[in-house]
Structures are given as structure tokens and as C-alpha cells.
């Protein structure tokens, strides 16, 4: 069944992926008039420690993080999260809603800053901690470089700093994608092996997680509400993302992030470059990194043993610092 908020949006609540109780669901609008779906949960146990602002990776959606949201709440945190523009239950930006699209990577900063102003500050208890995965990790890094006062600490899961196995550098890929966009091909899909629609048949050797139940749980959610899904990214999205990754790989970037920050890399990541995470971690003044052995890309969706390591790192870096 779906739990429907009077304001309009809803979250998918199914037996294999139950929604944590106490959700408040709504929409907010960005300054450029994009409607985004968000959800908020109060803490469920323990003393109050603040609010986790959870931002997702490309093609993800709020429902994917129900288990992780419950884990944060048990630690005394409220959790606020939203779907980025162009995915999940937020406004799609082009005629084909199945493709991943954004005009500029800075538009994700617009989303996050708007969420901070519209939802976090007026409605959620401080202090605020930013937790970002993959593409959301890169957007979180950019936020940390732009404004050191929005969040007290930043915790990143497999941030998208570079992609391995490409014919050119991130800057070179950005230039190619920008040229293709300029000549009118910005809405053309860019297919990658990693972007296959998830199903039971695609679980073996998938790049995301070694945990079959957590993998299939997401299949169940998308079967329940297919409109949450997006597939391949577009050339315009790729141009935006490669451009942002180029900035993150620049010589001056590490010193620009002045918020305490911890990045986790996955040792078996086949989606983003773990080496890039290690290199940036070594160069940051206020940040550091760890690599989780045996883990694939989606650290929060991995096996209990791997998630245990992820949350041990989270507790040492945020939970124990928030008391």
C-alpha cells in the first residue's frame, strides 16, 4: 500500500521494504521552479543528536534508503531527505522521463541549498550532518566547498570523483560531452553496463551490492511504482558530471573544503574510482578517507558485515562527536 500525505506526494510502503513509522512527506520548490519530493523522520531512540541530511546517488529515490534511515534514527538522529531533480518522485526535466538529465551540475547545489533553507532550517532540529552517496557525494563535496556553515560534518559513501576505464581524462570527457550537447545531442542517452535495469537475473556480478535481498528489495519498489525509475544518463548529464569531477580533481579543490569530512571507498567498486577517493583523501586538510574491504559500490545496501563497518565509521566520525 501507499501512505499518502495530504499535500500530495507519497512513499511506496511494501512488505519487503517497510517504511519507517512517523514519516512526514511533502513537496518543496526550488528558486528555478522545480518541484522536489522530500521526507522527514524524527529520531526513534536515544538522546537527540541532530538531523542527518541524506542525499542520494544518480537514479536513486527516497524509498531505497528506508533501512538506512531507520539505522540513523536508532542512533538519535532525525533524518531529512529528498529526491534530486530529474529522478525519483521529483519533477522530470525532459520529455523522456526515463532518462537521467540535468542542465548543470550546479543545479544540484540549487536543490540542496533550497532544501536547507526550506526544510532543514525551519523544520529540523540542529546540528545538521550531510550524508551523501555517489553522485550525491560529489554534490556534497561541492556544497562543502561553497559553504562551510551549512553542515557540521560530511560523511560520504563512494563519492563520484572520477570514473575508471574511460578513453580520456575527466576534463577530456567533459569537453567531448559539451561539444555533443552544443550540437544538439544533449538529450541523447549514454548507456553504460552499470546502468542495466535491476532484476533477479541481473544480480550475479552486479556492480552495486553482494547482498541479494537488499538488491531485490529495490526491484520490488520499482515494480510497485515504475515511475520512480530512470535508466541511462544523457549526454547533458554526462557533460555536467564530468565537469564537476574535473573540478573535484583540480589542484586547488582539496583546500576549498573546510568542513570535517570522511569519505568511504569500496574496495571492489566498479562504478566510481576508489583510487580517486584515496587521492583526494590524502590531499584534504579537514578530510580523510577509508576503503572498506570486499565492498561493492552501494555501501549502505551491502551485506550486514560490510554495513557494520560503514556504521562503525559513521559512529566514530559523527555519532560520537554529536553527544
Amino acid at each position: 500500500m501507499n501512505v499518502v500525505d495530504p499535500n500530495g506526494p507519497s512513499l511506496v510502503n511494501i512488505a519487503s521494504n517497510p517504511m519507517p513509522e512517523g514519516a512526514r512527506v511533502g513537496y518543496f520548490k526550488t528558486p528555478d521552479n522545480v518541484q522536489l519530493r522530500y521526507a522527514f523522520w524524527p529520531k526513534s531512540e536515544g538522546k537527540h543528536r541532530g538531523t542527518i541530511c541524506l542525499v542520494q546517488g544518480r537514479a536513486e529515490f527516497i524509498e531505497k534508503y528506508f533501512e538506512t534511515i531507520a539505522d540513523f534514527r536508532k542512533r538519535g538522529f532525525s533524518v531529512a531527505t529528498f529526491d534530486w531533480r530529474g529522478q525519483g518522485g521529483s519533477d522530470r526535466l525532459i520529455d523522456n522521463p526515463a532518462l537521467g538529465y540535468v542542465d548543470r551540475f550546479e543545479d544540484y547545489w540549487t536543490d540542496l541549498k533550497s532544501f536547507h533553507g526550506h526544510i532543514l532550517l525551519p523544520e529540523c532540529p540542529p546540528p545538521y550532518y550531510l550524508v551523501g552517496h555517489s553522485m550525491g557525494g560529489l554534490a556534497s563535496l561541492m556544497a562543502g566547498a561553497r559553504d562551510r556553515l551549512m553542515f557540521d560534518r560530511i560523511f560520504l559513501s563512494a563519492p563520484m570523483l572520477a570514473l575508471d576505464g574511460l578513453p580520456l581524462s575527466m576534463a577530456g570527457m567533459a569537453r567531448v560531452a559539451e561539444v555533443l550537447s552544443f550540437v544538439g545531442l544533449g538529450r541523447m542517452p549514454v548507456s553504460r553496463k552499470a546502468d542495466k535495469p535491476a532484476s533477479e537475473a541481473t544480480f550475479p556480478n552486479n556492480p552495486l551490492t553482494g547482498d541479494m535481498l537488499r538488491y531485490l528489495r529495490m526491484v520490488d519498489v520499482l515494480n510497485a511504482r515504475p515511475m520512480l525509475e530512470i535508466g541511462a544518463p544523457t549526454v547533458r548529464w554526462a557533460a555536467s558530471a564530468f565537469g564537476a569531477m574535473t573540478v573535484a580533481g583540480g589542484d586547488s579543490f582539496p583546500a576549498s573544503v573546510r568542513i570535517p569530512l570522511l569519505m568511504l571507498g569500496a574496495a571492489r567498486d566498479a562504478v566510481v574510482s576508489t583510487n580517486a577517493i584515496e587521492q583526494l583523501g590524502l590531499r584534504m586538510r579537514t578530510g580523510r578517507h577509508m576503503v572498506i574491504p570486499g565492498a561493492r559500490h552501494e555501501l549502505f545496501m551491502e551485506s550486514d558485515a560490510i554495513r557494520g563497518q560503514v556504521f562503525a565509521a559513521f559512529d566514530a566520525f559523527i555519532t560520537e562527536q554529536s553527544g
Side-chain angles (χ1 to χ4, degrees):
M1 73 173 187
N2 294 335
V3 177
V4 180
D5 182 270
N7 294 328
S10 64
L11 296 171
V12 179
N13 188 21
I14 55 177
S16 61
N17 189 54
M19 182 176 70
E21 292 183 4
R24 184 172 78 245
V25 191
Y27 287 129
F28 69 99
K29 283 208 169 178
T30 63
D32 56 343
N33 207 37
V34 180
Q35 181 170 265
L36 306 183
R37 182 181 69 153
Y38 79 93
F40 169 79
W41 283 265
K43 73 177 182 69
S44 60
E45 296 177 29
K47 68 175 182 177
H48 161 69
R49 294 185 180 276
T51 298
I52 299 295
C53 177
L54 177 61
V55 293
Q56 317 149 9
R58 194 196 81 80
E60 295 189 322
F61 41 86
I62 293 169
E63 288 87 347
K64 188 167 182 173
Y65 286 87
F66 281 172
E67 179 185 21
T68 298
I69 288 165
D71 290 328
F72 288 138
R73 295 177 71 212
K74 289 173 188 171
R75 288 163 163 79
F77 294 99
S78 301
V79 181
T81 186
F82 66 94
D83 291 332
W84 296 114
R85 65 180 62 207
Q87 63 187 57
S90 293
D91 279 352
R92 303 298 169 91
L93 306 172
I94 57 175
D95 292 340
N96 185 344
L99 297 179
Y101 182 90
V102 72
D103 284 324
R104 306 171 309 144
F105 204 84
E106 290 78 9
D107 291 343
Y108 295 131
W109 162 247
T110 300
D111 292 351
L112 180 58
K113 188 176 180 183
S114 180
F115 184 65
H116 187 269
H118 282 80
I119 308 300
L120 280 180
L121 287 178
E123 300 184 24
C124 305
Y128 306 119
Y129 302 100
L130 183 57
V131 175
H133 171 66
S134 196
M135 183 193 85
L138 179 57
S140 298
L141 272 170
M142 296 301 181
R146 284 175 179 260
D147 190 334
R148 63 188 179 88
L149 300 177
M150 285 174 69
F151 299 99
D152 280 37
R153 289 184 170 234
I154 298 176
F155 181 88
L156 303 182
S157 157
M160 185 183 74
L161 303 182
L163 307 183
D164 291 327
L166 296 176
L168 299 171
S169 67
M170 297 303 101
M173 296 299 295
R175 284 193 293 271
V176 170
E178 287 289 354
V179 169
L180 292 173
S181 294
F182 181 75
V183 299
L185 300 178
R187 300 186 179 193
M188 185 175 72
V190 181
S191 59
R192 294 191 317 168
K193 194 183 297 184
D195 293 319
K196 285 182 180 176
S199 68
E200 190 165 354
T202 60
F203 174 74
N205 302 314
N206 82 86
L208 304 179
T209 174
D211 189 287
M212 188 171 189
L213 286 179
R214 291 186 173 99
Y215 186 83
L216 294 180
R217 197 167 60 190
M218 295 309 96
V219 177
D220 292 344
V221 172
L222 292 174
N223 285 338
R225 189 175 296 179
M227 62 170 286
L228 291 176
E229 186 169 22
I230 63 170
T234 53
V235 168
R236 184 66 237 151
W237 181 91
S240 301
F242 284 127
M245 286 186 269
T246 301
V247 171
D251 290 341
S252 64
F253 185 76
S256 70
V257 181
R258 292 170 291 169
I259 301 176
L261 179 144
L262 176 62
M263 298 183 289
L264 300 190
R268 296 181 59 199
D269 204 324
V271 178
V272 306
S273 171
T274 299
N275 181 61
I277 295 169
E278 294 180 282
Q279 293 305 311
L280 180 60
L282 292 171
R283 295 166 59 210
M284 295 190 76
R285 295 178 184 174
T286 60
R288 56 193 179 91
H289 72 281
M290 295 173 52
V291 176
I292 306 297
R296 301 185 206 182
H297 180 60
E298 294 191 348
L299 291 166
F300 286 118
M301 312 298 159
E302 262 288 10
S303 66
D304 289 348
I306 289 172
R307 289 181 91 251
Q309 295 178 67
V310 172
F311 274 99
F314 174 85
D315 288 337
F317 184 64
I318 291 185
T319 307
E320 292 162 15
Q321 306 300 321
S322 63

